[in-house]
Amino acid sequence: MSNPDPRDELVDHIPALRAFALSLTRNGAVADDMVQDTLVKAWTNIEKFTVGTNLRAWLFTILRNTYYSSRRKARREVADVDGVMAANMAVKPAHDGRLNLDDFKSAFEQLPDEQREALSLVGAQGFAYEEAAELCGVAVGTIKSRVNRARARLAELMHLDEEEALELTDSATQAVVIANGPGAV
């Protein structure tokens, strides 16, 4: 029985890749470009992928490396200090009861890159701490610490009390803000 061609599965991972890219870049157009670059790199280097291993993790690693490479190049570029580019981003409809998406985005953007990345991988993308640690090249405890500190900082920035119930319709945002499930920090 032969293994299926991993290229056939690439399209299945595009939504998760885009969500991760968007959480890193905070710009829809840049996120789309990064996903496209990731897919091109994966397609042209598919022989380097070990069939039977985690294709999603391999793609996320390519995307993450692409992001950090672009950050190094972008240091010589002018920043979006007036927020014109950020203001053009699509926003979620305002039907989320307690949580205003603009407040969440503002708080999320204030997190350090490492915390934002860890929270996106574990909270929004559903990676296990071990997988996220491997993707980031750090210890599992480091990922848990980053996620815990990021969630605490988000709660602080958004003025949320432990007893306050959040009314959320967006499960990805809820997963990022709230620790849930076994082993959650």
Side-chain angles (χ1 to χ4, degrees):
M1 180 176 208
S2 67
N3 288 326
D5 187 345
R7 282 176 266 223
D8 296 337
E9 296 178 42
L10 290 178
V11 73
D12 296 338
H13 299 286
I14 292 174
L17 287 169
R18 186 173 192 286
F20 183 48
L22 193 55
S23 74
L24 292 173
T25 65
R26 295 163 282 182
N27 180 306
V30 174
D32 289 340
D33 289 344
M34 282 184 52
V35 170
Q36 181 176 345
D37 290 346
T38 298
L39 293 172
V40 168
K41 288 175 184 178
W43 189 273
T44 58
N45 293 294
I46 200 72
E47 71 280 352
K48 294 179 183 176
F49 175 71
T50 305
V51 176
T53 61
N54 190 339
L55 178 62
R56 183 174 170 199
W58 186 67
L59 292 170
F60 270 66
T61 300
I62 294 171
L63 181 104
R64 180 180 182 271
N65 291 342
T66 300
Y67 170 71
Y68 283 113
S69 293
S70 70
R71 291 272 323 252
R72 285 189 292 274
K73 291 177 187 175
R75 286 191 179 134
R76 294 182 285 277
E77 296 177 7
V78 177
D80 182 26
V81 292
D82 56 359
V84 171
M85 295 295 287
N88 291 327
M89 291 177 61
V91 294
K92 186 177 176 297
H95 64 280
D96 254 352
R98 167 73 173 88
L99 180 64
N100 182 329
L101 189 58
D102 290 334
D103 292 342
F104 173 77
K105 283 179 20 185
S106 175
F108 192 70
E109 289 174 5
Q110 292 179 47
L111 296 176
D113 287 344
E114 295 82 13
Q115 289 180 9
R116 199 174 58 250
E117 175 185 53
L119 198 53
S120 293
L121 289 171
V122 172
Q125 299 301 326
F127 278 97
Y129 289 118
E130 294 77 13
E131 293 173 313
E134 186 176 330
L135 282 171
C136 295
V138 298
V140 174
T142 301
I143 286 294
K144 287 181 178 183
S145 175
R146 287 177 183 175
V147 169
N148 188 38
R149 283 184 276 130
R151 284 182 171 140
R153 182 68 178 138
L154 276 177
E156 177 185 322
L157 291 169
M158 296 173 65
H159 309 290
L160 300 174
D161 294 329
E162 287 183 22
E163 293 112 29
E164 276 188 85
L166 291 176
E167 297 175 19
L168 301 172
T169 57
D170 178 8
S171 60
T173 304
Q174 185 175 14
V176 168
V177 176
I178 301 170
N180 54 25
V185 176

